[in-house]
Amino acid sequence: MVFSSKLIEDAVAQFAKLPGVGKKTALRMVLHLLKMQHEDVAAFAGAFSKMKQEIKFCAECHNVSDSDVCLICASPGRLHTQLCIVESIRDVIAIESTQHYNGLYHVLGGILSPLDGIGPEQLNLSNLRSRVATNEVEEIIMALSPTIEGDTTAYYITKELKDLPVRVTTIARGIAFGGELEYTDEMTLGRSITKRLPIENYMSVQGKS
Amino acid sequence: MVFSSKLIEDAVAQFAKLPGVGKKTALRMVLHLLKMQHEDVAAFAGAFSKMKQEIKFCAECHNVSDSDVCLICASPGRLHTQLCIVESIRDVIAIESTQHYNGLYHVLGGILSPLDGIGPEQLNLSNLRSRVATNEVEEIIMALSPTIEGDTTAYYITKELKDLPVRVTTIARGIAFGGELEYTDEMTLGRSITKRLPIENYMSVQGKS
């Protein structure tokens, strides 16, 4: 692409660094900003510059936070005896959006993957033990990706906390709601059959939120 | 989507204002910025804040420019006797990227559309006449969209400049290179047949750049 302006070229190059944004999309965004009012562009730049400077990570659960302890950990209305272990901030947002969970989180910031050089030291595990003890946590819910790395991480954490009086569960795996059986992958479908549930069990699970 | 941080929520809301960006894509971009180095985020914000503040519009052709007269209009290597009339900056970039045109441009900044309240006064037409006279322009190339509005605009400009000794042409219309005949829309295909060219004519056009 040939630009007659260095200023536009630089702005396009910066936008094209964002994930999923190519040069054409970047140009579209830049021309959109060009048409916007000065104060709106300033607000746009300000929002994420401010975010980058002021964002903190919760000392408890390692989720992103506006203060030292995040809103979830600080909320008295939430069940402090449940801990949901997730890989990233994105997973917290996904689970919060379901409105089906009212406990706390623990964000690992990654997943065990020896090939990528990610061992237990690289994950936010140092305060997990003390959190479980302090909050008198009764249940730890593993909400990790159903991959080899996810399973390994869940296994590692379960083993580490073996001596504590805590129940470890994992989110249900099976065919997706509204999905079509014939398009479900073989592994998921196979495991769904092996790990089948009594229908009353499923009904009662569905009834609870 | 539920965010546990107001800072993230604001940044996502700002990104979601960009064209073609929904909340999920915006979140992906924001989390990407969150992982970036401080100086890279500053460079990102700086590039388009600078662009917004310093960008100018060429006094000659109304294209975006880093100086009072854009690089294209200022270039002695370009044919000052050819003027290509386009709707927007985006079209200049598209034509420049083909490397098949070496004349000057004239960016209208819109297209005649009475229903949207866009008349000749809203377009950059005031200096077109003087440009044609000053540069002793021999040919005006209409590179407008093949729509009713585009055709109306081309017709209006042609009529306005009728008394000047200038040849008015339009970019060729027809089936696209590499396109499949059966998927071409009826109107394009129909007009391509009506406005067919002697094959020698086409060959010689293809030979020239």
Side-chain angles (χ1 to χ4, degrees), chain A residues 5-6 34 36 52 66, chain B residues 4-6 34 36 52 66:
Chain A
S5 156
K6 185 89 180 62
L34 205 59
M36 275 164 61
K52 186 70 190 170
D66 300 351
Chain B
S4 57
S5 157
K6 186 87 181 64
L34 205 58
M36 275 163 60
K52 186 70 190 169
D66 299 350

Side-chain angles (χ1 to χ4, degrees), chain B residues 76-98:
Chain B
R78 299 191 71 123
L79 269 181
H80 284 234
T81 53
Q82 275 186 340
L83 265 196
C84 180
I85 300 197
V86 292
E87 184 182 337
S88 74
I89 303 156
R90 212 180 295 229
D91 301 328
V92 174
I93 295 171
I95 296 175
E96 283 296 286
S97 298
T98 68

Side-chain angles (χ1 to χ4, degrees), chain B:
Chain B
M1 226 181 267
V2 181
F3 302 99
S4 57
S5 157
K6 186 87 181 64
L7 292 166
I8 299 247
E9 193 174 343
D10 287 346
V12 168
Q14 287 291 344
F15 268 96
K17 283 185 189 167
L18 294 176
V21 177
K23 279 226 165 177
K24 284 214 168 177
T25 313
L27 176 64
R28 206 169 142 211
M29 291 175 173
V30 167
L31 293 182
H32 179 85
L33 284 177
L34 205 58
K35 275 192 200 160
M36 275 163 60
Q37 298 296 316
H38 273 283
E39 52 268 28
D40 292 339
V41 174
F44 177 72
F48 64 81
S49 297
K50 189 165 181 250
M51 175 196 79
K52 186 70 190 169
Q53 277 157 18
E54 297 183 11
I55 203 89
K56 290 174 183 162
F57 289 90
C58 174
E60 287 287 310
C61 72
H62 310 284
N63 187 12
V64 283
S65 172
D66 299 350
S67 46
D68 290 333
V69 172
C70 77
L71 292 175
I72 297 175
C73 287
S75 165
R78 299 191 71 123
L79 269 181
H80 284 234
T81 53
Q82 275 186 340
L83 265 196
C84 180
I85 300 197
V86 292
E87 184 182 337
S88 74
I89 303 156
R90 212 180 295 229
D91 301 328
V92 174
I93 295 171
I95 296 175
E96 283 296 286
S97 298
T98 68
Q99 303 192 313
H100 270 57
Y101 180 65
N102 196 34
L104 305 186
Y105 293 92
H106 194 87
V107 181
L108 296 178
I111 204 155
L112 288 184
S113 177
L115 286 178
D116 301 319
I118 303 177
E121 302 76 34
Q122 275 72 46
L123 304 184
N124 301 323
L125 284 170
S126 57
N127 70 331
L128 178 60
R129 215 187 154 79
S130 64
R131 281 192 84 194
V132 173
T134 316
N135 287 315
E136 295 180 344
V137 170
E138 290 162 6
E139 184 179 4
I140 287 182
I141 302 164
M142 299 285 178
L144 300 168
S145 298
T147 57
I148 293 176
E149 288 84 4
D151 285 349
T152 310
T153 311
Y155 178 74
Y156 176 84
I157 296 173
T158 310
K159 222 182 65 179
E160 285 291 302
L161 303 176
K162 209 171 51 186
D163 56 319
L164 293 174
V166 64
R167 190 158 61 99
V168 180
T169 58
T170 177
I171 53 169
R173 297 172 185 188
I175 56 165
F177 280 87
E180 297 220 27
L181 220 66
E182 59 174 319
Y183 298 124
T184 308
D185 67 289
E186 288 167 20
M187 198 155 172
T188 303
L189 191 54
R191 289 202 180 179
S192 290
I193 293 172
T194 320
K195 302 280 182 189
R196 63 194 176 278
L197 298 165
I199 200 154
E200 303 80 25
N201 188 335
Y202 163 67
M203 292 300 183
S204 73
V205 168
Q206 199 187 36
K208 277 183 7 189
S209 77

